[in-house]
Amino acid sequence: MTGELSPIDKAKFVAAKRATDYVEDGMRVGLGTGSTAAWMVRCLGEMVREQGLRIKGVPTSTRTAQLAQDVGIEVVSLDAAKWLDVTIDGADEFDGNLNLIKGGGGALLQEKIVATASDQMIVIADVGKEVETLGAFPLPVEVVPFGWQTTQALIEETLVSMDVLGRSTTLRMNGAAPFMTDEGNHILDLHLKRIGDARQLAMVLNQMPGVVENGLFIDICDAVVVGFGDGRVEVRDINAGTIEQAMLDFAETDNLFTDLVD
């Protein structure tokens, strides 16, 4: 199956596959949400079935929970797990300091809770997600439905004093209706183009009434596993200050993902 993948899908696959090296028998593992994270869940499921790997998975969304159960991973709640050994998740953008924008899939709140309750957070991404400065990808902000337009106006007013290039915001839709998160909230996407001070913006946004959480993940990620379309992987560890490169070998007939829908 991997021999038929596009270069970007192959990059996602090799990043996900390499990241499973962080998972050991008996661990409690945070399972991310999104297309790249779904490949990782499938890889872990294969390890459970074929290698006898024993882990407890804490999913960051209902769809990840369903996928994990489908591939044979034991799913538990974060309250039951209490603390996690590692969380592996994707990102919409990451910079040289391994700060992230997440929430393109709408699960940013659960993703941030799970990531911060882990000894390590490992991000898996194709090389196209790397940026010099965060902000090209719209920044998701989860808001409560009550008074969301007032919250939106407050955010737009506040952005005037922030170091950003764009200030437009849009309500995320699901067809004709507003998109709803697993917690029943809405998402405002902030089209900022460039974020000059991500740390400041994250703090300011979370002080606003009506804002539940924002998609800036600052000082949370410990390492990023970057996949390339030719099968190369690069592991950048922010704590150790190391960069490791390798070529990932995989079977051309691998059919892990024949029924995986992004």
Side-chain angles (χ1 to χ4, degrees), residues 158-173:
T158 302
L159 289 175
V160 174
S161 61
M162 295 289 102
D163 184 8
V164 296
L165 285 183
R167 301 187 183 96
S168 67
T169 67
T170 54
L171 177 68
R172 187 177 300 184
M173 303 297 290

Side-chain angles (χ1 to χ4, degrees), residues 93 101 131 133-139 190-195:
E93 282 186 349
I101 285 182
V131 296
T133 304
L134 298 176
F137 190 91
L139 174 64
L190 280 51
H191 305 272
L192 307 178
K193 301 180 182 178
R194 183 188 65 82
I195 301 172

Side-chain angles (χ1 to χ4, degrees), residues 174-187:
N174 182 16
F179 176 88
M180 300 291 286
T181 69
D182 282 352
E183 289 74 34
N185 295 318
H186 295 335
I187 287 183

Side-chain angles (χ1 to χ4, degrees), residues 103-148:
L108 64 101
L109 177 57
Q110 289 190 22
E111 287 172 338
K112 190 174 283 190
I113 292 171
V114 169
T116 55
S118 305
D119 287 336
Q120 289 190 92
M121 182 196 185
I122 310 301
V123 163
I124 48 179
D126 61 87
V127 68
K129 301 296 176 60
E130 182 176 10
V131 296
E132 183 174 344
T133 304
L134 298 176
F137 190 91
L139 174 64
V141 177
E142 186 161 341
V143 300
V144 296
F146 176 80
W148 71 265

